[in-house]
Amino acid sequence: MQDKAIYHRPARPEDPDAEFLTVQETAWVMRCSVSTVRQRLLALKRGGTLGRRILVSRTDRQALYAAAVSNRRHQRR
């Protein structure tokens, strides 16, 4: 049986600027948890479906980053 803990840990990508990254690689690039990336993808209605490998495109990563920056600015006010 495979250890499923690897799905919950950020992983360093071979190319951080690749067109598509896994959720784990995206979490490593954005310096947050895997669950945070998944929650933000759901909130933005982007990403894959349940039971499938989720790949995050470069444009989706930009949207995730923009939403995170916007959220930080809103919390400071």
Side-chain angles (χ1 to χ4, degrees), residues 48-60:
T49 59
L50 293 176
R52 302 281 181 194
R53 183 176 185 183
I54 300 172
L55 295 177
V56 184
S57 69
R58 189 177 295 134
T59 56
D60 286 347

Side-chain angles (χ1 to χ4, degrees), residues 10-35:
R12 184 180 193 152
E14 288 182 27
D15 179 14
D17 196 36
E19 180 65 31
F20 294 97
L21 295 178
T22 65
V23 172
Q24 293 79 13
E25 292 169 339
T26 302
W28 189 88
V29 169
M30 295 184 67
R31 294 185 176 147
C32 64
S33 69
V34 172
S35 61

